[in-house]
Amino acid sequence: MTTVAPPPPVPAGLGRVLTVPGVYAPRSDSRLLAHAMRAEGVRPGMEVLDVGTGSGVLALYAARLGATVTAVDVDRRAVLTARLNALLARQRVTVRRGDLNRPLLPGRSFDVVVSNPPYVPAPGRLPRRGPARAWDAGHDGRALVDRLCAAAPTVLRPHGVLLMVHSAMCDPEESVRRLSRAGLRAGVSGRASVPFGPVVRGRLDWLRQRGLMDVRDEREELVVIRAERV
């Protein structure tokens, strides 16, 4: 069992957001990714894309750091929630509805792409509606992660960076391999140990049966994947 650090403190300015049923509420993974964004040096003059924005918390954090921000989400409730939170926070964020990079204009590229995609392994088919759409990601948890690995190089500028968070259950090495094959310089840039959330707790037996979680594990490990277009 790997010992890793707890999540970093909430960065100054991450702020609170409103959520509605069916929209992912910010948790430890959002906090870890915000810390990675700050360490990456997101600042005025940069353009940031937040893929799968949910409540918009990471898009708003990038905007507070001074970046020009575009956020996308396939879920209608998430788009409306992110727009509302941007309005309440008095931050300028362009929020579009659509799948991954499809809502963007052809050829649009960014300095930083951030994503907290659905990554919890789950039995059955991918949900097409309902709250589980925000976290269920297929039997290996990679249904959205793999698609993001394929799409990221097309929206990164030279020396642009992808920052993506997901569970160690989802095989971080596979994410690094896929991004490296796509021509990016990729690796794990951060790790954190967090308590099991309600979704993971509810399917621990299934996860252990599939070998995705050791019977000795009492916490979940999160990772941040960093990939740079060189």
Side-chain angles (χ1 to χ4, degrees), residues 117-138:
Y119 57 71
V120 180
R125 297 181 179 180
L126 290 177
R128 302 192 65 175
R129 58 181 60 86
R133 194 180 193 186
W135 52 77
D136 280 1

Side-chain angles (χ1 to χ4, degrees), residues 2-175:
T2 303
T3 300
V4 292
V10 178
L14 184 58
R16 295 180 179 273
V17 291
L18 299 177
T19 57
V20 298
V23 175
Y24 186 73
R27 299 182 187 274
S28 299
D29 45 10
S30 307
R31 184 176 14 164
L32 184 62
L33 195 50
H35 181 80
M37 291 167 61
R38 189 169 187 88
E40 193 61 42
V42 172
R43 58 191 181 273
M46 284 187 167
E47 291 194 63
V48 173
L49 173 65
D50 180 14
V51 180
T53 194
S55 66
V57 65
L58 293 170
L60 291 174
Y61 183 61
R64 290 188 180 100
L65 292 175
T68 299
V69 185
T70 301
V72 300
D73 202 295
V74 72
D75 185 78
R76 191 182 305 274
R77 287 188 183 186
V79 169
L80 294 175
T81 301
R83 287 174 176 166
L84 174 60
N85 281 320
L87 182 65
L88 293 173
R90 298 182 180 179
Q91 295 291 333
R92 182 173 295 180
V93 176
T94 301
V95 186
R96 301 188 184 281
R97 180 171 180 254
D99 186 44
L100 296 180
N101 59 336
R102 291 180 184 174
L104 305 177
L105 294 174
R108 184 79 191 279
S109 61
F110 298 84
D111 300 293
V112 178
V113 175
V114 299
S115 185
N116 183 2
Y119 57 71
V120 180
R125 297 181 179 180
L126 290 177
R128 302 192 65 175
R129 58 181 60 86
R133 194 180 193 186
W135 52 77
D136 280 1
H139 282 205
D140 58 3
R142 297 193 57 88
L144 276 295
V145 169
D146 285 345
R147 294 182 59 218
L148 186 58
C149 288
T154 67
V155 291
L156 286 175
R157 294 172 179 167
H159 303 293
V161 171
L162 166 70
L163 297 170
M164 173 175 59
V165 64
H166 65 65
S167 174
M169 289 187 290
C170 305
D171 192 356
E173 292 78 13
E174 177 62 16
S175 297

